[in-house]
């Protein structure tokens, strides 16, 4: 299969789309001609020289298959699927973008379609956490920043000492966890006027160094979180057994493609008992679907706690922004938060009456938008250096979790994403990443790996994040950071925090010399 990466977009957008749709059937001669042009989508490049005789390798730069876009600018994560050309579907994407990007307000008759924010919340716009649809960041501490920016990170809260009945419900995937009795399942550090925010947040960092075999060292940054309940004086402090989980907003690209990886393909990579003795024992999180009222595989969120993008969006609306919707018709105020409970709701709009704040149309549009944020094409996938880096990545054992290739199944609702060969570099499974990356108690002590915090996911387990778009993360937002809690400032720093099931792979990487490190990072930065 042949595929063209960048084209000369000197014609109309409609014609450019048509050219892109025919890319896989173009002859080699046309490919050569087109590769001499400057690229579209905000960047410029030439068609990568591909190895002959291997169809899979020849489409490797198209991480999202036919939905892949050509954009290397600050907007690289904000384009819709390249093969989407139906006007009505583009309009739905744009509607979702509008409600994802613009802020919601407190209950107000004058803004009927986007009111009802809070009383307590983490942020008032999805885009302010997922900055330009990319990753968020941990609070920075520098000469100009004091570590108080918690705008794109949140903290989940779950009890460790639970009853046998609650534990059974979690093991049966009928209940996510037992929330903290002071703040519920998530800390909200902001609030509307005249309402007390749930918590005050702070952070400091401890640094250490990890050394490669040749003496090259990398500084690691460990967060020390400072979490204070604003209800403690009223007798509602955090429970002493509460386990906290720091979560930075992840990038949004390619989510609809991940949703269409067949469940059987994901489950066949499970090895819960590590039967092959390779030290890697991935497992799927099994969760409760609010929409379908059944137990199913989890795919989204840092611990794969949500089964679909609509449910992920609905959960974010209520937990992150205090906005009720068809799947969550009760707000996030706790019984002792009288000021929060008394805030004006935003139920219904100027056209329809309904008993929640996010209309079904808006929820559906945001889910559609989330599904169709496209993966950018790779820039230099077939260069010698990047291919050497790929070999090092494979040989180190990274692909035991970061599975390179999948094929999506057919979906009538998402034809653009159907039956695509994709390269996300994830197995979508939970893996134990070791004590250093574990969830923690109020004293920043790692929780035991016996503590379940989100359905079947324990305090040490994280879903393998996809790596596509990795090299453009800092282009989209220079402040973006890596890992679930944003502690890593660079890709290599993130790699060197790996432990648990990834410890062997990390030790292999620590043997790299300067040239191998450069090749390895060239590969990761090309994704």
């Amino acid at each position: 299969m042949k595929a063209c990466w960048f084209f000369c977009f000197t014609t109309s957008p409609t014609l450019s789309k048509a050219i892109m749709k025919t890319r896989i059937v173009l002859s080699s001669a046309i490919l050569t001609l087109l590769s001499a042009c400057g690229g579209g989508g905000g960047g410029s490049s030439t068609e990568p020289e591909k190895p002959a005789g291997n169809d899979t390798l020849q489409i490797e730069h198209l991480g999202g298959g036919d939905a892949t876009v050509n954009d290397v600018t600050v907007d690289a994560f904000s384009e819709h699927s390249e093969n989407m050309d139906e006007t009505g579907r583009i309009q739905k994407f744009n509607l979702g973008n509008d409600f994802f990007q613009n802020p919601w307000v407190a209950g107000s008759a004058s803004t009927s379609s986007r009111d009802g924010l809070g009383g307590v919340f983490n942020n008032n716009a999805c885009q302010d956490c997922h900055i330009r649809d990319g990753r968020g960041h941990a609070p920075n501490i520098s000469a100009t920043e004091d570590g108080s920016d918690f705008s794109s990170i949140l903290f989940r809260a779950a009890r460790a000492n639970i009853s046998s009945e609650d534990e059974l419900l979690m093991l049966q995937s009928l209940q996510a966890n037992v929330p903290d009795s002071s703040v519920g399942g998530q800390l909200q550090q902001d609030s509307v006027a005249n309402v007390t925010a749930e918590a005050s947040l702070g952070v400091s960092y401890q640094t250490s160094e990890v050394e490669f075999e040749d003496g090259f060292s990398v500084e690691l940054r460990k967060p020390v979180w400072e979490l204070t309940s604003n209800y403690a004086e009223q007798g509602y402090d955090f429970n002493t057994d509460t386990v906290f989980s720091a979560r930075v907003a992840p990038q949004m690209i390619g989510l609809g493609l991940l949703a269409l990886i067949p469940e059987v393909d994901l489950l066949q990579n499970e090895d819960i008992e590590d039967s092959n003795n390779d030290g890697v024992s991935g497992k799927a999180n099994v969760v409760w679907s609010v929409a379908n009222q059944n137990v199913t595989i989890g795919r989204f969120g840092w611990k794969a706690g949500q089964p679909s993008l609509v449910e992920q969006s609905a959960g974010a609306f209520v937990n992150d922004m205090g906005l009720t919707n068809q799947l969550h018709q009760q707000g996030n105020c706790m019984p002792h938060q009288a000021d929060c409970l008394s805030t004006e709701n935003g139920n219904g709009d100027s056209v329809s009456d309904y008993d929640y704040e996010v209309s079904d149309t808006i929820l559906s549009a945001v889910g559609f938008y989330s599904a169709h944020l496209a993966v950018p094409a790779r820039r230099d996938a077939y260069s010698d250096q990047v291919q050497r880096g790929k070999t090092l990545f494979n040989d180190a054992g990274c692909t035991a979790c970061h599975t390179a290739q999948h094929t999506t199944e057919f979906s009538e609702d998402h034809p653009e994403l159907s039956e695509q060969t994709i390269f996300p570099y994830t197995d979508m499974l939970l893996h134990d990443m070791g004590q250093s990356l574990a969830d923690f108690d109020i004293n920043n002590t790692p929780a035991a790996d016996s503590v379940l915090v989100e359905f079947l996911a324990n305090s040490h387990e994280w879903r393998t994040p996809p790596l596509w778009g990795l090299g453009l993360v800092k282009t989209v937002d220079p402040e973006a950071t890596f890992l679930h809690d944003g502690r890593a400032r660079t890709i290599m720093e993130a790699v060197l925090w790996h432990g648990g099931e990834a410890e062997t792979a990390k030790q292999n990487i620590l043997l790299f010399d300067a040239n191998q490190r450069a090749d390895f990072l060239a590969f990761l930065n090309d994704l």
Side-chain angles (χ1 to χ4, degrees):
M1 181 181 292
K2 298 289 184 181
C4 188
W5 185 36
F6 280 129
F7 296 89
C8 294
F9 284 157
T10 56
T11 56
S12 69
T14 302
L15 181 56
S16 298
K17 295 267 186 183
I19 294 173
M20 282 297 293
K21 288 181 69 178
T22 63
R23 62 177 179 256
I24 61 173
V25 296
L26 291 172
S27 69
S28 297
I30 296 176
L31 284 170
T32 302
L33 176 62
L34 288 174
S35 69
C37 301
S44 63
S45 183
T46 59
E47 171 69 17
E49 183 179 348
K50 311 187 199 81
N54 188 317
D55 286 349
T56 297
L57 290 180
Q58 292 185 18
I59 60 171
E60 194 173 1
H61 62 290
L62 297 172
D66 290 343
T68 306
V69 294
N70 296 307
D71 195 334
V72 295
T73 72
V74 69
D75 296 319
F77 293 169
S78 298
E79 308 287 346
H80 64 68
S81 302
E82 176 59 40
N83 54 354
M84 181 187 292
D85 52 16
E86 185 179 315
T87 301
R89 295 175 67 77
I90 294 174
Q91 288 175 338
K92 185 171 184 178
F93 177 89
N94 290 337
L95 176 65
N97 179 34
D98 181 65
F99 282 93
F100 193 89
Q101 183 172 357
N102 292 313
W104 291 70
V105 300
S108 168
S110 62
T111 315
S112 62
S113 293
R114 59 174 83 247
D115 65 335
L117 177 71
V120 293
F121 57 91
N122 296 113
N123 215 319
N124 65 352
C126 308
Q127 192 80 230
D128 289 346
C129 288
H130 305 273
I131 300 167
R132 287 185 283 276
D133 304 297
R135 296 172 185 243
H137 55 269
N140 193 16
I141 294 180
S142 66
T144 58
E145 297 181 71
D146 61 4
S148 60
D149 177 14
F150 284 81
S151 63
S152 58
I153 186 172
L154 56 81
F155 295 84
R156 297 283 177 84
R159 302 282 298 275
N161 301 326
I162 60 177
S163 68
S164 57
E165 291 79 8
D166 283 322
E167 182 179 17
L168 180 60
L169 288 173
M170 291 180 69
L171 291 172
Q172 294 174 330
S173 301
L174 301 176
Q175 176 175 301
N177 52 40
V178 177
D180 179 84
S181 60
S182 169
V183 297
Q186 185 167 311
L187 279 66
Q188 280 88 22
Q189 82 279 5
D190 211 339
S191 62
V192 300
N194 301 316
V195 173
T196 302
E198 290 182 333
S200 300
L201 310 177
V203 68
S204 59
Y205 291 100
Q206 299 173 346
T207 59
S208 60
E209 290 193 347
V210 174
E211 194 169 282
F212 284 78
E213 188 177 53
D214 65 359
F216 178 80
S217 65
V218 174
E219 183 183 78
L220 303 186
R221 181 182 73 162
K222 176 184 177 181
V224 179
W225 302 110
E226 302 159 13
L227 312 177
T228 304
S229 170
N230 290 339
Y231 290 91
E233 292 185 1
Q234 302 176 27
Y236 295 101
D237 203 351
F238 302 131
N239 299 116
T240 57
D241 65 325
T242 293
V243 171
F244 299 96
S245 184
R247 315 271 181 99
V248 164
Q251 64 194 34
M252 298 291 295
I253 57 172
L255 299 182
L257 295 164
L258 298 179
L260 293 182
I261 299 174
E263 182 175 306
V264 64
D265 291 352
L266 299 180
L267 295 179
Q268 73 179 3
N269 289 325
E270 277 191 314
D271 187 13
I272 297 174
E273 303 300 327
D274 190 17
S275 58
N276 61 359
N277 296 312
D278 67 350
V280 178
S281 52
K283 74 178 184 185
N285 201 357
V286 181
V287 306
W288 178 252
S289 169
V290 177
N292 297 323
Q293 292 293 293
N294 63 8
V295 168
T296 187
I297 189 172
R299 295 175 185 256
F300 301 106
W302 281 106
K303 291 186 184 283
Q306 292 288 356
S308 71
L309 289 174
V310 168
E311 292 192 55
Q312 173 74 17
S313 300
F317 270 127
V318 72
N319 293 316
D320 303 354
M321 303 169 73
L323 293 164
T324 57
N325 52 78
Q326 62 171 311
L327 299 183
H328 301 282
Q329 298 190 25
Q330 297 296 318
N332 58 3
C333 303
M334 299 295 290
H336 56 270
Q337 296 173 324
D339 51 1
C340 181
L341 290 167
S342 66
T343 56
E344 183 179 0
N345 67 55
N347 293 355
D349 55 35
S350 59
V351 176
S352 304
D353 291 326
Y354 41 89
D355 295 328
Y356 41 88
E357 291 156 335
V358 180
S359 73
D360 296 353
T361 298
I362 292 172
L363 180 60
S364 176
V366 170
F368 185 85
Y369 173 77
S370 301
H372 281 282
L373 283 165
V375 177
R378 293 174 58 181
R379 281 73 61 204
D380 202 23
Y382 310 111
S383 72
D384 289 344
Q385 184 180 37
V386 169
Q387 287 295 308
R388 289 196 303 269
K390 176 185 174 183
T391 298
L392 290 167
F393 182 86
N394 295 343
D395 291 348
C398 302
T399 52
C401 301
H402 291 283
T403 306
Q405 181 178 338
H406 295 278
T407 301
T408 63
E409 61 190 1
F410 176 75
S411 167
E412 186 174 343
D413 293 332
H414 299 290
E416 299 91 347
L417 310 178
S418 296
E419 299 174 325
Q420 299 295 320
T421 298
I422 61 174
F423 298 87
Y425 284 89
T426 176
D427 61 5
M428 300 287 284
L429 301 178
L430 297 172
H431 294 276
D432 186 327
M433 294 299 292
Q435 182 168 286
S436 294
L437 295 180
D439 296 326
F440 53 92
D441 66 15
I442 192 64
N443 298 313
N444 286 276
T445 302
D449 61 6
S450 58
V451 177
L452 297 178
V453 295
E454 193 165 355
F455 294 105
L456 303 185
N458 70 40
S459 64
H460 288 211
E461 291 176 325
W462 303 95
R463 188 207 67 168
T464 306
L467 298 183
W468 49 20
L470 192 61
L472 292 172
V473 165
K474 294 283 192 178
T475 298
V476 171
D477 179 20
E479 299 300 317
T481 52
F482 303 94
L483 295 178
H484 67 276
D485 59 5
R487 68 177 66 189
R489 295 155 292 183
T490 67
I491 294 172
M492 184 59 84
E493 192 178 347
V495 169
L496 297 180
W497 270 113
H498 283 50
E501 294 177 38
E503 181 66 28
T504 298
K506 180 182 73 177
Q507 293 302 322
N508 290 335
I509 291 167
L510 287 170
L511 300 177
F512 290 173
D513 61 24
N515 290 331
Q516 291 171 317
R517 287 192 296 271
D519 293 345
F520 180 69
L521 287 175
F523 166 70
L524 292 176
N525 277 297
D526 189 63
L527 292 177

